[in-house]
Coordinates of all heavy atoms in Angstrom, one line a residue:
M27 N -78.0 -2.7 -244.1 CA -77.9 -1.8 -245.2 C -77.9 -2.6 -246.5 O -77.2 -3.6 -246.6 CB -76.6 -0.9 -245.1 CG -76.3 -0.1 -246.2 SD -74.8 0.8 -246.3 CE -74.4 1.2 -244.6
S28 N -78.7 -2.2 -247.4 CA -78.7 -2.9 -248.7 C -77.4 -2.6 -249.4 O -76.7 -1.6 -249.3 CB -79.9 -2.4 -249.6 OG -79.6 -1.1 -250.1
L29 N -77.1 -3.6 -250.3 CA -75.9 -3.5 -251.1 C -75.9 -2.3 -252.1 O -74.9 -1.7 -252.3 CB -75.6 -4.8 -251.9 CG -75.1 -5.9 -251.0 CD1 -74.8 -7.2 -251.9 CD2 -73.8 -5.5 -250.3
M30 N -77.0 -2.0 -252.5 CA -77.2 -0.8 -253.4 C -76.8 0.5 -252.7 O -76.1 1.3 -253.2 CB -78.6 -0.7 -254.0 CG -78.9 -1.8 -255.1 SD -77.8 -1.7 -256.5 CE -78.2 -0.2 -257.2
K31 N -77.3 0.6 -251.5 CA -77.0 1.8 -250.7 C -75.6 1.8 -250.3 O -74.9 2.9 -250.4 CB -77.8 1.8 -249.4 CG -77.7 3.1 -248.6 CD -78.6 3.1 -247.4 CE -78.3 4.4 -246.6 NZ -79.2 4.6 -245.5
R32 N -75.0 0.7 -250.0 CA -73.6 0.6 -249.6 C -72.8 0.9 -250.8 O -71.7 1.6 -250.7 CB -73.3 -0.8 -249.1 CG -71.8 -0.9 -248.7 CD -71.5 -2.1 -248.0 NE -70.1 -2.1 -247.6 CZ -69.6 -2.8 -246.7 NH1 -70.3 -3.7 -246.0 NH2 -68.3 -2.8 -246.5
Y33 N -73.2 0.5 -252.0 CA -72.4 0.7 -253.2 C -72.4 2.3 -253.5 O -71.3 2.8 -253.8 CB -73.0 0.0 -254.4 CG -72.2 0.3 -255.7 CD1 -71.0 -0.2 -256.1 CD2 -72.8 1.2 -256.6 CE1 -70.4 0.0 -257.2 CE2 -72.2 1.6 -257.8 CZ -71.0 1.0 -258.1 OH -70.3 1.3 -259.3
A34 N -73.5 2.9 -253.3 CA -73.6 4.3 -253.6 C -72.7 5.1 -252.6 O -72.0 6.0 -253.0 CB -75.0 4.8 -253.5
E35 N -72.7 4.6 -251.3 CA -71.9 5.3 -250.3 C -70.4 5.1 -250.6 O -69.6 6.0 -250.4 CB -72.3 4.8 -248.9 CG -73.7 5.4 -248.5 CD -74.1 4.8 -247.1 OE1 -73.4 4.0 -246.6 OE2 -75.1 5.2 -246.6
D36 N -70.1 3.8 -250.9 CA -68.7 3.5 -251.2 C -68.2 4.4 -252.4 O -67.1 4.9 -252.4 CB -68.5 2.0 -251.6 CG -68.6 1.1 -250.3 OD1 -68.4 1.7 -249.2 OD2 -68.7 -0.1 -250.5
T37 N -69.0 4.5 -253.5 CA -68.6 5.2 -254.6 C -68.4 6.7 -254.3 O -67.4 7.3 -254.7 CB -69.7 5.0 -255.7 OG1 -69.8 3.7 -256.1 CG2 -69.3 5.9 -256.9
E38 N -69.3 7.2 -253.5 CA -69.1 8.6 -253.1 C -67.9 8.9 -252.3 O -67.1 9.8 -252.4 CB -70.4 9.1 -252.3 CG -70.4 10.6 -252.0 CD -70.4 11.5 -253.3 OE1 -70.9 11.0 -254.3 OE2 -69.8 12.6 -253.2
H39 N -67.6 7.9 -251.3 CA -66.4 8.0 -250.5 C -65.2 7.9 -251.4 O -64.2 8.7 -251.2 CB -66.4 6.8 -249.5 CG -65.1 6.6 -248.8 ND1 -64.8 7.4 -247.8 CD2 -64.2 5.7 -249.0 CE1 -63.6 7.0 -247.3 NE2 -63.2 6.0 -248.0
F40 N -65.1 7.1 -252.3 CA -63.9 6.9 -253.2 C -63.8 8.2 -254.1 O -62.6 8.6 -254.4 CB -64.0 5.7 -254.1 CG -63.8 4.4 -253.3 CD1 -64.6 3.3 -253.4 CD2 -62.7 4.3 -252.3 CE1 -64.4 2.2 -252.7 CE2 -62.6 3.2 -251.6 CZ -63.4 2.1 -251.8
K41 N -64.9 8.8 -254.6 CA -64.8 10.0 -255.3 C -64.2 11.1 -254.5 O -63.3 11.9 -255.0 CB -66.2 10.4 -255.8 CG -66.7 9.7 -257.0 CD -68.1 10.2 -257.4 CE -68.7 9.5 -258.5 NZ -70.0 10.1 -258.9
L42 N -64.6 11.2 -253.3 CA -64.0 12.3 -252.4 C -62.6 12.1 -252.1 O -61.8 13.0 -252.1 CB -64.8 12.4 -251.1 CG -66.3 12.9 -251.2 CD1 -67.0 12.7 -249.8 CD2 -66.3 14.3 -251.6
R43 N -62.2 10.8 -251.9 CA -60.8 10.5 -251.7 C -60.0 10.8 -252.9 O -58.8 11.3 -252.9 CB -60.6 9.1 -251.3 CG -61.0 8.9 -249.8 CD -60.7 7.5 -249.3 NE -59.3 7.2 -249.4 CZ -58.9 5.9 -249.3 NH1 -59.8 4.9 -249.1 NH2 -57.6 5.6 -249.5
A44 N -60.5 10.6 -254.1 CA -59.8 10.9 -255.4 C -59.6 12.3 -255.6 O -58.5 12.8 -256.0 CB -60.6 10.3 -256.6
I45 N -60.6 13.1 -255.2 CA -60.5 14.6 -255.3 C -59.4 15.1 -254.3 O -58.5 15.9 -254.6 CB -61.8 15.3 -255.0 CG1 -62.8 15.0 -256.1 CG2 -61.7 16.8 -254.8 CD1 -64.3 15.4 -255.9
E46 N -59.4 14.6 -253.1 CA -58.4 14.9 -252.1 C -57.0 14.5 -252.6 O -56.1 15.3 -252.5 CB -58.6 14.3 -250.8 CG -59.9 14.8 -250.1 CD -60.2 13.9 -248.8 OE1 -59.5 12.9 -248.6 OE2 -61.2 14.2 -248.2
T47 N -56.9 13.4 -253.2 CA -55.6 12.9 -253.7 C -55.0 13.8 -254.8 O -53.9 14.0 -254.9 CB -55.7 11.4 -254.2 OG1 -56.2 10.6 -253.1 CG2 -54.5 10.9 -254.7
A48 N -55.9 14.3 -255.7 CA -55.6 15.1 -256.8 C -54.9 16.4 -256.3 O -54.1 17.0 -257.0 CB -56.7 15.4 -257.7
W49 N -55.2 16.8 -255.1 CA -54.6 18.1 -254.6 C -53.3 17.9 -253.8 O -52.7 18.9 -253.4 CB -55.7 18.8 -253.7 CG -56.7 19.4 -254.6 CD1 -57.8 18.9 -255.0 CD2 -56.6 20.8 -255.2 NE1 -58.5 19.8 -255.9 CE2 -57.8 20.9 -256.0 CE3 -55.7 21.8 -255.1 CZ2 -58.0 22.1 -256.7 CZ3 -55.9 22.9 -255.8 CH2 -57.1 23.1 -256.6
I50 N -52.9 16.7 -253.7 CA -51.6 16.5 -253.1 C -50.4 16.9 -254.0 O -50.4 16.5 -255.2 CB -51.4 14.9 -252.7 CG1 -52.4 14.5 -251.7 CG2 -50.0 14.7 -252.1 CD1 -52.4 13.0 -251.4
T51 N -49.6 17.8 -253.5 CA -48.6 18.4 -254.3 C -47.3 17.6 -254.5 O -46.7 17.7 -255.6 CB -48.1 19.8 -253.9 OG1 -47.8 19.7 -252.5 CG2 -49.3 20.8 -253.9
D52 N -47.0 16.8 -253.6 CA -45.7 16.0 -253.7 C -46.1 14.7 -254.6 O -47.0 14.0 -254.3 CB -45.4 15.5 -252.3 CG -44.1 14.7 -252.4 OD1 -43.0 15.2 -252.6 OD2 -44.2 13.4 -252.2
D53 N -45.3 14.5 -255.7 CA -45.6 13.4 -256.6 C -45.6 12.1 -255.9 O -46.4 11.2 -256.2 CB -44.6 13.5 -257.7 CG -44.7 14.7 -258.6 OD1 -45.8 15.3 -258.6 OD2 -43.7 15.0 -259.3
L54 N -44.6 11.8 -255.1 CA -44.4 10.5 -254.5 C -45.6 10.3 -253.5 O -46.2 9.2 -253.5 CB -43.1 10.3 -253.7 CG -42.9 9.0 -252.9 CD1 -43.0 7.9 -253.9 CD2 -41.6 9.0 -252.2
E55 N -45.9 11.3 -252.7 CA -47.0 11.2 -251.7 C -48.4 11.0 -252.5 O -49.2 10.1 -252.1 CB -47.1 12.5 -250.9 CG -48.1 12.4 -249.8 CD -48.2 13.7 -249.0 OE1 -47.2 14.4 -248.9 OE2 -49.2 13.9 -248.4
R56 N -48.6 11.6 -253.6 CA -49.8 11.5 -254.4 C -49.8 10.1 -255.0 O -50.9 9.4 -255.0 CB -49.8 12.6 -255.5 CG -51.1 12.6 -256.3 CD -51.3 13.7 -257.2 NE -50.1 13.8 -258.2 CZ -49.2 14.7 -258.2 NH1 -49.1 15.6 -257.3 NH2 -48.3 14.7 -259.2
A57 N -48.7 9.5 -255.5 CA -48.7 8.2 -256.0 C -49.0 7.1 -255.0 O -49.7 6.2 -255.2 CB -47.3 7.9 -256.7
L58 N -48.4 7.3 -253.8 CA -48.7 6.4 -252.7 C -50.2 6.5 -252.3 O -50.8 5.4 -252.0 CB -47.8 6.7 -251.5 CG -46.4 6.4 -251.8 CD1 -45.5 6.9 -250.6 CD2 -46.1 4.9 -251.9
A59 N -50.7 7.7 -252.3 CA -52.1 7.8 -251.9 C -53.1 7.2 -253.0 O -54.0 6.5 -252.6 CB -52.5 9.3 -251.8
L60 N -52.7 7.3 -254.2 CA -53.5 6.6 -255.3 C -53.4 5.1 -255.2 O -54.4 4.4 -255.3 CB -53.0 7.1 -256.7 CG -53.6 8.3 -257.3 CD1 -52.9 8.7 -258.6 CD2 -55.1 8.1 -257.5
S61 N -52.2 4.6 -254.9 CA -52.0 3.2 -254.7 C -52.8 2.7 -253.6 O -53.5 1.6 -253.7 CB -50.5 2.9 -254.5 OG -50.3 1.5 -254.3
D62 N -52.8 3.4 -252.5 CA -53.7 3.0 -251.3 C -55.2 3.1 -251.7 O -55.9 2.2 -251.3 CB -53.4 3.9 -250.1 CG -52.1 3.7 -249.4 OD1 -51.4 2.6 -249.7 OD2 -51.6 4.6 -248.7
L63 N -55.5 4.0 -252.4 CA -56.9 4.2 -252.8 C -57.4 3.0 -253.7 O -58.4 2.5 -253.5 CB -57.1 5.5 -253.5 CG -58.5 6.0 -254.0 CD1 -59.5 5.8 -252.8 CD2 -58.5 7.4 -254.5
F64 N -56.5 2.7 -254.7 CA -56.9 1.5 -255.5 C -57.0 0.3 -254.7 O -57.9 -0.6 -255.0 CB -55.9 1.4 -256.7 CG -56.0 2.5 -257.7 CD1 -54.9 3.0 -258.3 CD2 -57.2 3.1 -258.1 CE1 -54.9 4.0 -259.3 CE2 -57.3 4.1 -259.0 CZ -56.1 4.6 -259.6
E65 N -56.1 0.1 -253.8 CA -56.2 -1.1 -252.9 C -57.4 -1.1 -252.1 O -58.0 -2.2 -252.0 CB -54.9 -1.1 -252.0 CG -54.8 -2.4 -251.1 CD -53.6 -2.4 -250.4 OE1 -52.6 -1.7 -250.7 OE2 -53.5 -3.3 -249.4
D66 N -57.8 0.0 -251.6 CA -59.0 0.1 -250.8 C -60.3 -0.2 -251.8 O -61.2 -0.7 -251.2 CB -59.2 1.5 -250.2 CG -58.2 1.7 -249.1 OD1 -57.5 0.7 -248.6 OD2 -58.0 2.9 -248.6
C67 N -60.2 0.2 -253.0 CA -61.3 -0.2 -253.9 C -61.4 -1.6 -254.0 O -62.6 -2.2 -253.9 CB -61.0 0.4 -255.3 SG -61.2 2.2 -255.5
G68 N -60.4 -2.4 -254.1 CA -60.4 -3.9 -254.1 C -60.9 -4.5 -252.8 O -61.7 -5.4 -252.9
N69 N -60.4 -4.0 -251.7 CA -60.9 -4.5 -250.4 C -62.4 -4.2 -250.2 O -63.1 -5.1 -249.7 CB -60.0 -3.8 -249.3 CG -58.6 -4.2 -249.3 OD1 -58.3 -5.3 -249.9 ND2 -57.8 -3.4 -248.7
A70 N -62.8 -3.1 -250.5 CA -64.3 -2.7 -250.4 C -65.2 -3.6 -251.3 O -66.3 -3.9 -250.9 CB -64.5 -1.3 -250.7
A71 N -64.6 -4.0 -252.4 CA -65.5 -4.8 -253.3 C -65.7 -6.2 -252.9 O -66.6 -6.9 -253.4 CB -64.8 -4.8 -254.7
T72 N -65.0 -6.7 -251.9 CA -65.1 -8.1 -251.5 C -66.4 -8.4 -250.9 O -66.8 -9.6 -250.9 CB -64.0 -8.5 -250.5 OG1 -64.2 -7.7 -249.3 CG2 -62.6 -8.3 -251.0
V73 N -67.2 -7.5 -250.5 CA -68.6 -7.7 -249.9 C -69.7 -7.9 -251.0 O -70.8 -8.3 -250.7 CB -69.0 -6.7 -248.9 CG1 -68.0 -6.5 -247.8 CG2 -69.2 -5.4 -249.6
Y74 N -69.3 -7.6 -252.2 CA -70.3 -7.6 -253.3 C -70.3 -9.0 -254.0 O -69.3 -9.8 -253.9 CB -70.1 -6.5 -254.3 CG -70.2 -5.2 -253.7 CD1 -69.1 -4.5 -253.2 CD2 -71.4 -4.6 -253.5 CE1 -69.2 -3.3 -252.6 CE2 -71.6 -3.3 -252.9 CZ -70.4 -2.6 -252.4 OH -70.6 -1.5 -251.8
H75 N -71.4 -9.3 -254.7 CA -71.6 -10.6 -255.4 C -70.4 -10.9 -256.4 O -70.0 -12.0 -256.5 CB -73.0 -10.6 -256.0 CG -73.2 -11.9 -256.8 ND1 -73.3 -13.1 -256.2 CD2 -73.3 -12.1 -258.1 CE1 -73.5 -14.0 -257.2 NE2 -73.5 -13.4 -258.3
S76 N -70.1 -9.8 -257.1 CA -69.0 -10.0 -258.1 C -67.9 -9.0 -257.8 O -67.8 -7.9 -258.4 CB -69.6 -9.7 -259.5 OG -68.6 -9.9 -260.5
P77 N -67.0 -9.4 -256.9 CA -66.0 -8.5 -256.4 C -65.1 -7.8 -257.5 O -64.8 -6.7 -257.5 CB -65.1 -9.2 -255.5 CG -65.9 -10.4 -255.0 CD -66.9 -10.7 -256.2
A78 N -64.7 -8.7 -258.5 CA -63.8 -8.2 -259.6 C -64.4 -7.1 -260.3 O -63.8 -6.0 -260.7 CB -63.3 -9.3 -260.4
E79 N -65.7 -7.3 -260.7 CA -66.4 -6.3 -261.5 C -66.7 -5.0 -260.7 O -66.5 -4.0 -261.2 CB -67.8 -6.9 -262.0 CG -67.6 -7.9 -263.1 CD -69.0 -8.5 -263.5 OE1 -70.0 -7.7 -263.4 OE2 -69.0 -9.6 -263.9
V80 N -67.0 -5.2 -259.4 CA -67.2 -4.0 -258.6 C -65.9 -3.3 -258.4 O -65.9 -2.0 -258.4 CB -67.9 -4.3 -257.2 CG1 -68.0 -3.1 -256.3 CG2 -69.3 -4.9 -257.5
A81 N -64.8 -4.0 -258.1 CA -63.6 -3.3 -258.0 C -63.2 -2.5 -259.2 O -62.6 -1.4 -259.2 CB -62.4 -4.4 -257.7
A82 N -63.4 -3.1 -260.4 CA -63.1 -2.5 -261.7 C -64.0 -1.2 -261.8 O -63.5 -0.1 -262.2 CB -63.4 -3.3 -262.8
L83 N -65.3 -1.2 -261.3 CA -66.1 0.0 -261.4 C -65.6 1.1 -260.4 O -65.5 2.3 -260.8 CB -67.6 -0.4 -261.0 CG -68.3 -1.2 -262.1 CD1 -69.6 -1.7 -261.5 CD2 -68.5 -0.4 -263.3
F84 N -65.2 0.7 -259.3 CA -64.6 1.6 -258.2 C -63.3 2.3 -258.8 O -63.2 3.5 -258.7 CB -64.3 0.9 -257.0 CG -65.5 0.6 -256.1 CD1 -65.4 -0.4 -255.1 CD2 -66.7 1.3 -256.1 CE1 -66.5 -0.8 -254.3 CE2 -67.8 1.0 -255.3 CZ -67.7 0.0 -254.4
V85 N -62.5 1.5 -259.3 CA -61.2 2.0 -259.9 C -61.5 2.9 -261.1 O -60.9 4.0 -261.2 CB -60.3 0.8 -260.3 CG1 -59.1 1.3 -261.1 CG2 -59.8 0.1 -259.0
H86 N -62.4 2.5 -261.9 CA -62.8 3.5 -263.0 C -63.3 4.8 -262.6 O -62.9 5.8 -263.1 CB -63.8 2.8 -264.0 CG -64.3 3.5 -265.1 ND1 -63.5 3.7 -266.2 CD2 -65.4 4.3 -265.3 CE1 -64.1 4.5 -267.0 NE2 -65.3 4.8 -266.5
T87 N -64.2 4.7 -261.6 CA -64.8 6.0 -261.0 C -63.7 6.8 -260.3 O -63.6 8.0 -260.6 CB -65.8 5.6 -259.9 OG1 -66.9 4.9 -260.6 CG2 -66.4 6.8 -259.3
V88 N -62.7 6.2 -259.6 CA -61.7 6.9 -259.0 C -60.8 7.5 -260.1 O -60.4 8.7 -260.0 CB -60.8 5.9 -258.1 CG1 -59.5 6.6 -257.7 CG2 -61.6 5.6 -256.8
S89 N -60.5 6.8 -261.1 CA -59.6 7.3 -262.2 C -60.2 8.5 -262.9 O -59.5 9.5 -263.1 CB -59.3 6.2 -263.2 OG -58.6 5.1 -262.6
E90 N -61.5 8.4 -263.2 CA -62.1 9.5 -263.9 C -62.2 10.7 -263.0 O -61.9 11.8 -263.4 CB -63.5 9.1 -264.3 CG -63.5 8.2 -265.6 CD -64.9 8.1 -266.2 OE1 -65.9 8.3 -265.4 OE2 -65.0 7.8 -267.3
T91 N -62.6 10.5 -261.7 CA -62.7 11.6 -260.8 C -61.4 12.3 -260.5 O -61.3 13.5 -260.5 CB -63.3 11.1 -259.5 OG1 -64.6 10.5 -259.7 CG2 -63.5 12.3 -258.5
Y92 N -60.3 11.5 -260.3 CA -59.0 12.0 -260.1 C -58.5 12.8 -261.3 O -58.0 13.9 -261.1 CB -58.0 10.8 -259.8 CG -56.6 11.3 -259.8 CD1 -56.0 11.8 -258.6 CD2 -55.8 11.2 -260.9 CE1 -54.7 12.2 -258.6 CE2 -54.5 11.6 -260.9 CZ -53.9 12.2 -259.8 OH -52.6 12.5 -259.7
A93 N -58.6 12.3 -262.5 CA -58.1 12.9 -263.7 C -58.9 14.3 -263.9 O -58.3 15.2 -264.2 CB -58.3 12.0 -264.9
T94 N -60.2 14.2 -263.7 CA -61.0 15.5 -263.9 C -60.5 16.6 -262.9 O -60.3 17.7 -263.2 CB -62.5 15.2 -263.7 OG1 -62.9 14.2 -264.7 CG2 -63.3 16.4 -263.9
E95 N -60.4 16.1 -261.6 CA -60.0 17.1 -260.6 C -58.5 17.6 -260.8 O -58.2 18.8 -260.6 CB -60.1 16.5 -259.2 CG -59.8 17.4 -258.1 CD -60.8 18.5 -258.0 OE1 -62.0 18.4 -258.4 OE2 -60.5 19.6 -257.4
W96 N -57.7 16.6 -261.1 CA -56.3 17.0 -261.4 C -56.1 18.0 -262.5 O -55.4 19.0 -262.4 CB -55.5 15.7 -261.8 CG -54.0 15.9 -261.7 CD1 -53.1 15.9 -260.7 CD2 -53.1 16.1 -262.9 NE1 -51.8 16.1 -261.1 CE2 -51.8 16.3 -262.4 CE3 -53.4 16.2 -264.3 CZ2 -50.8 16.4 -263.4 CZ3 -52.4 16.4 -265.1 CH2 -51.1 16.6 -264.7
M97 N -56.9 17.8 -263.6 CA -56.8 18.7 -264.8 C -57.4 20.1 -264.4 O -56.8 21.1 -264.7 CB -57.5 18.1 -266.0 CG -56.8 17.0 -266.6 SD -55.1 17.4 -267.2 CE -55.5 18.5 -268.5
S98 N -58.5 20.1 -263.6 CA -59.1 21.4 -263.3 C -58.2 22.2 -262.4 O -58.1 23.4 -262.4 CB -60.5 21.2 -262.7 OG -60.4 20.5 -261.4
Q99 N -57.5 21.4 -261.5 CA -56.6 22.1 -260.6 C -55.4 22.7 -261.4 O -55.0 23.8 -261.1 CB -56.0 21.1 -259.5 CG -55.0 21.7 -258.6 CD -54.0 20.7 -258.0 OE1 -54.1 19.5 -258.4 NE2 -53.2 21.1 -257.1
R100 N -54.9 22.0 -262.3 CA -53.7 22.4 -263.2 C -54.1 23.7 -263.9 O -53.4 24.6 -264.0 CB -53.2 21.3 -264.0 CG -52.6 20.1 -263.4 CD -51.5 20.5 -262.3 NE -51.0 19.3 -261.7 CZ -51.3 18.9 -260.5 NH1 -52.3 19.5 -259.9 NH2 -50.7 17.9 -260.0
K101 N -55.3 23.7 -264.4 CA -55.9 24.8 -265.2 C -56.0 26.0 -264.3 O -55.7 27.2 -264.7 CB -57.1 24.5 -265.9 CG -57.0 23.6 -267.1 CD -58.3 23.2 -267.7 CE -58.2 22.3 -268.8 NZ -59.5 21.9 -269.4
A102 N -56.4 25.8 -263.1 CA -56.8 26.9 -262.1 C -55.5 27.5 -261.6 O -55.4 28.7 -261.3 CB -57.5 26.4 -260.9
T103 N -54.4 26.7 -261.5 CA -53.1 27.2 -261.0 C -52.1 27.7 -262.1 O -51.1 28.2 -261.9 CB -52.4 26.2 -260.2 OG1 -52.2 25.0 -260.9 CG2 -53.2 25.8 -258.9
A104 N -52.5 27.5 -263.4 CA -51.7 27.9 -264.5 C -51.7 29.4 -264.8 O -52.5 30.1 -264.4 CB -52.0 27.1 -265.8

């Protein structure tokens, strides 16, 4: 598998996990899930040429996806 294809699949996987994490109702459980997700971003980035930059991109994508989903969930349940 090419690294571009793997990057696209990794990014999609992390986005889905971020959405799932945003729906966790328990604060501690959600924080632990986010921590695990960020750690997994770093671990997944090790196969790329520039792991630090790819990890930062993964974390940025996760953060944006999580925040968007979290806010839309809060608006929907308000």
Side-chain angles (χ1 to χ4, degrees):
M27 175 185 327
S28 74
L29 285 180
M30 289 300 293
K31 183 175 180 179
R32 182 171 182 160
Y33 177 80
E35 289 177 357
D36 285 344
T37 300
E38 187 61 29
H39 170 76
F40 290 133
K41 284 181 177 181
L42 292 173
R43 284 185 57 195
I45 291 168
E46 291 172 359
T47 301
W49 284 91
I50 297 173
T51 56
D52 181 74
D53 292 340
L54 178 58
E55 186 180 336
R56 188 172 56 252
L58 291 172
L60 271 175
S61 179
D62 288 343
L63 183 50
F64 290 144
E65 184 175 343
D66 290 346
C67 288
N69 292 336
T72 62
V73 301
Y74 298 95
H75 177 69
S76 182
E79 290 179 27
V80 173
L83 290 171
F84 284 155
V85 168
H86 178 76
T87 298
V88 164
S89 299
E90 282 192 337
T91 304
Y92 171 83
T94 300
E95 186 66 24
W96 190 82
M97 289 302 294
S98 68
Q99 177 204 7
R100 296 307 180 263
K101 289 178 183 175
T103 58

